[in-house]
Amino acid sequence: MAKIAYILLCHKDPDAIVMQAQRITDAGDYIAIHFDARAPQEAYRSIRRALADNPNVTFARPRIRCGWGEWSLVQATLNAVEAAEQAFPRATHFYMLSGDCMPIKTAEYAHRFLDEHDTDYIESFDFFDSDWIKTGIKEDRLIYRHFLNERKHKRLFYAGLNLQRKLGLRRAIPHDLQIQIGSQWWCLRRRTIEWILDFTRQRRDVMRFFRTTWIPDETFFQTLVRHLVPENEIESRTLTFLMFSDYGMPVSFYNDHYDLLVSQDFLFARKISPEATELKLRLGRLYAAHDVEFRISNEGRSLYKFLTGRGRIGRRFGLRFWETESSLGRERELLIVVCKKWHVAKRLLAHIRQLTELPAVDYLFNEADTPLPDLGGIQTTLEKRTRHRRALMRMLFDYFETNRLIVCMDPSNLDLMQDFASDRSETRILEIDCQFSDDYLIGHAHRVGLAGEQTSAATLERILPTIRNDLTYETDRIRDADFPHYGRISETAPPEENAEKIADFLSISRDQAEQLARTEYLFAD
């Protein structure tokens, strides 16, 4: 059975470190601790005293003064790995952790998972071809030497970099290495760890190279594992669940994230807020539990993206400017049917086509597979359609040889509606107000990736009000936009009332409008 030696890099909160070590070793696993040499000496002594009698705990020697982005983080990790490799000959796997990590599965589950997968888990993507680095310097991390910390000595850091560029002091990357990049939170088999340690003793040239690279904890182990281990024995992912905000900062988890965390396909999570004491207690008890069944839904990242994109004016982006295309035509009339339940709008459009013979196009800005004629390639992707919206619409008017055209849009497309409404052509909008049952909202959450097949009922119950409020917010925005030709039909309104709005929207007789309003099963799900 798998036995894990955890490599813990930490610099604060000695009480939490002791608790984490006790939790891990109580489950039969091991831990090697590197406590930052910058931290108070008394804090380190208190950890040593509390764990002195625990045979499954060892400490890295010597302790390193660590700095973000520096080689010191890699050296501290190597010191802890060497200590664990020597102290725990029965360890089958070595798992990298920080003091902010907590288990989100039982030890029993983790051991079984590793037994079933003879694999090294480490993110490793090609340094030059991937887009893993989003901001900051890229190639310069490697080809120039870095002796100062960019965060502490910003001016000197970039002065040194610019001087090396000016003097042409580029250096070669070791010829037999293909540099990789990825998260520093990995889980490696014992054989791989032994190979890495042997490599560090034999290849002093590689060690010299990495010592003066910038942020080597994202490249060192990632590159060596790819160099030493067959590709089919590497899974390029981490077993630690972590997310980053739009600003590149780690997302913290709080007490109400328990259900979300345990349903993710990971063994640990980072990073747990220091204030989330209840969450820490629950996850701590979880690791020691037995016979726990986990329902994996893996919706965490999409759910976080959804929730953080809501709830503030501006909603993430200002109004788009896009391109300034010419007018659709002063004599033309664009009719927009707006509905969140796409099947309802499509059902109404099908009957409008039959009754009026007006050309109508379904959700062309929302569904990539909406049937469209060949318009020279502008119709091939949603991105092109949206970017060239006015050109696309002009071409559709020309294709159908008409001055009146109906299209469907999702309520989230307010920017499109406002753009068309500002045109010299006439834009009419008919919004269809539908009722949303909990079952429908759950289905919607599944369709858009906010929930998976195994998402717990408690998680769904917690996000349903947010989804419902979001749908209400979208329709409120449309009504607040005060479009000059706006009408609204409702699922709860009588057909006669809806017919009046449909007649105004389509400029048809009241009798025709009533036929449309009485469309059989119009609002049915």
Side-chain angles (χ1 to χ4, degrees):
M1 184 181 76
K3 292 185 74 69
I4 307 169
Y6 290 98
I7 309 301
L8 178 63
L9 262 58
C10 47
H11 64 280
K12 61 182 180 180
D13 202 350
D15 291 340
I17 293 167
V18 171
M19 289 180 62
Q20 192 172 33
Q22 290 173 340
R23 181 189 318 104
I24 284 171
T25 56
D26 285 348
D29 290 317
Y30 312 105
I31 188 167
I33 300 172
H34 179 277
F35 194 69
D36 196 331
R38 296 179 187 273
Q41 186 66 22
E42 181 52 38
Y44 178 61
R45 292 195 190 101
S46 68
I47 298 172
R48 294 296 300 254
R49 285 195 298 268
L51 300 173
D53 297 329
N54 192 325
N56 286 3
V57 177
T58 191
F59 292 86
R61 297 182 183 84
R63 291 166 60 209
I64 305 293
R65 296 170 63 87
C66 297
W68 186 90
E70 298 177 7
W71 169 256
S72 55
L73 284 173
V74 178
Q75 188 61 62
T77 305
L78 285 172
N79 291 354
V81 167
E82 288 180 339
E85 191 264 344
Q86 294 172 12
F88 310 128
R90 296 180 60 197
T92 61
H93 294 78
F94 294 72
Y95 195 121
M96 179 78 173
L97 288 178
S98 77
D100 296 320
C101 295
M102 288 290 291
I104 56 175
K105 296 291 185 294
T106 61
E108 185 179 72
Y109 180 100
H111 296 153
R112 184 169 63 248
F113 180 91
L114 295 176
D115 280 337
E116 293 172 354
H117 302 86
D118 186 20
T119 302
D120 290 314
Y121 290 91
I122 182 168
E123 268 192 0
S124 52
F125 305 101
D126 188 276
F127 184 92
F128 296 100
D129 292 342
S130 73
D131 62 349
W132 201 87
I133 298 174
K134 302 298 183 185
T135 60
I137 60 175
K138 186 172 182 177
E139 182 185 31
D140 292 351
R141 289 190 186 191
L142 305 176
I143 63 174
Y144 297 111
R145 295 166 179 82
H146 302 278
F147 301 100
L148 297 172
N149 190 301
E150 189 261 358
R151 290 190 172 184
K152 297 177 183 176
H153 309 287
K154 199 177 196 71
R155 292 179 61 185
L156 291 174
F157 178 92
Y158 286 105
L161 176 60
N162 291 329
L163 180 62
Q164 291 181 73
R165 288 170 177 165
K166 185 176 180 179
L167 297 177
L169 299 179
R170 291 170 58 104
R171 61 172 174 176
I173 296 169
H175 71 279
D176 57 339
L177 292 184
Q178 183 176 2
I179 304 299
Q180 304 287 307
I181 191 166
S183 167
Q184 64 269 49
W185 312 110
W186 40 254
C187 177
L188 303 176
R189 297 167 296 176
R190 184 180 193 91
R191 183 187 64 178
T192 303
I193 288 294
E194 291 172 346
W195 286 349
I196 289 174
L197 293 177
D198 287 342
F199 185 92
T200 62
R201 298 175 188 119
Q202 297 169 10
R203 293 294 302 271
R204 294 300 176 187
D205 59 322
V206 173
M207 299 299 285
R208 284 193 298 272
F209 171 79
F210 276 107
R211 279 194 180 97
T212 52
T213 60
W214 180 234
I215 320 182
D217 54 312
E218 294 179 351
T219 56
F220 180 78
F221 289 98
Q222 296 78 357
T223 300
L224 265 58
V225 170
R226 284 286 177 185
H227 181 75
L228 298 169
V229 179
E231 184 175 359
N232 62 354
E233 297 181 21
I234 302 172
E235 185 77 23
S236 186
R237 58 162 291 200
T238 174
L239 294 179
T240 298
F241 180 61
L242 67 161
M243 297 188 295
F244 291 90
S245 70
D246 291 349
Y247 307 103
M249 299 300 292
V251 171
S252 293
F253 298 108
Y254 297 91
N255 290 332
D256 58 348
H257 283 126
Y258 178 85
D259 289 331
L260 182 147
L261 291 176
V262 299
S263 64
Q264 305 311 305
D265 189 19
F266 297 85
L267 303 184
F268 277 74
R270 183 182 188 274
K271 77 192 234 180
I272 309 300
S273 169
E275 291 81 25
T277 53
E278 181 185 342
L279 177 62
K280 290 182 177 181
L281 286 173
R282 295 181 71 184
L283 292 177
R285 290 194 295 265
L286 176 68
Y287 192 70
H290 295 278
D291 300 323
V292 178
E293 182 178 347
F294 294 94
R295 299 170 65 85
I296 305 299
S297 58
N298 236 20
E299 82 286 16
R301 289 192 172 94
S302 58
L303 181 58
Y304 173 80
K305 183 178 179 181
F306 170 77
L307 293 175
T308 54
R310 269 61 182 174
R312 58 182 183 269
I313 300 301
R315 310 277 294 175
R316 197 174 274 281
F317 298 108
L319 296 177
R320 276 79 163 169
F321 62 89
W322 303 107
E323 75 290 347
T324 53
E325 305 261 27
S326 58
S327 171
L328 303 186
R330 194 180 297 274
E331 74 286 355
R332 285 174 168 165
E333 190 176 346
L334 179 63
L335 309 176
I336 303 175
V337 175
V338 180
C339 186
K340 196 66 180 182
K341 290 186 176 181
W342 295 1
H343 60 280
V344 174
K346 291 178 182 180
R347 200 174 288 149
L348 180 62
L349 247 65
H351 286 82
I352 290 175
R353 291 189 190 98
Q354 295 173 7
L355 191 65
T356 68
E357 296 185 353
L358 279 173
V361 182
D362 293 340
Y363 288 83
L364 74 165
F365 295 110
N366 304 101
E367 286 189 304
D369 57 355
T370 296
L372 289 172
D374 186 353
L375 302 175
I378 196 174
Q379 82 292 344
T380 53
T381 67
L382 292 176
E383 183 183 7
K384 286 184 178 180
R385 296 176 201 172
T386 303
R387 185 185 305 120
H388 305 294
R389 61 186 72 169
R390 294 199 183 190
L392 173 70
M393 209 59 69
R394 286 201 314 273
M395 295 170 80
L396 286 173
F397 275 108
D398 293 339
Y399 176 83
F400 289 113
E401 298 180 349
T402 183
N403 284 333
R404 302 186 75 212
L405 177 66
I406 308 174
V407 298
C408 287
M409 289 189 192
D410 188 88
S412 62
N413 296 139
L414 178 63
D415 55 336
L416 293 176
M417 300 175 219
Q418 290 175 319
D419 186 29
F420 288 125
S422 68
D423 189 72
R424 289 195 296 270
S425 61
E426 184 171 298
T427 299
R428 293 179 174 271
I429 296 174
L430 179 69
E431 185 179 9
I432 305 177
D433 177 35
C434 298
Q435 299 296 298
F436 301 104
S437 66
D438 286 352
D439 287 342
Y440 175 84
L441 293 180
I442 290 171
H444 176 72
H446 284 284
R447 286 189 293 274
V448 300
L450 300 180
E453 292 182 5
Q454 304 300 325
T455 300
S456 68
T459 299
L460 287 171
E461 183 178 353
R462 191 164 60 249
I463 66 173
L464 285 187
T466 303
I467 298 173
R468 190 180 298 278
N469 291 338
D470 188 63
L471 300 185
T472 302
Y473 181 82
E474 287 181 345
T475 192
D476 283 346
R477 291 172 69 210
I478 294 172
R479 299 177 76 176
D480 292 341
D482 198 23
F483 292 112
H485 303 288
Y486 168 82
R488 192 166 187 254
I489 66 173
S490 173
E491 183 175 355
T492 58
E496 296 80 12
E497 185 178 323
N498 286 337
E500 182 180 346
K501 302 294 178 60
I502 293 174
D504 289 343
F505 174 67
L506 294 174
S507 301
I508 58 177
S509 70
R510 183 61 180 264
D511 289 342
Q512 289 178 307
E514 283 210 17
Q515 289 184 52
L516 293 171
R518 296 182 185 277
T519 296
E520 192 172 8
Y521 304 117
L522 176 60
F523 293 99
D525 289 335

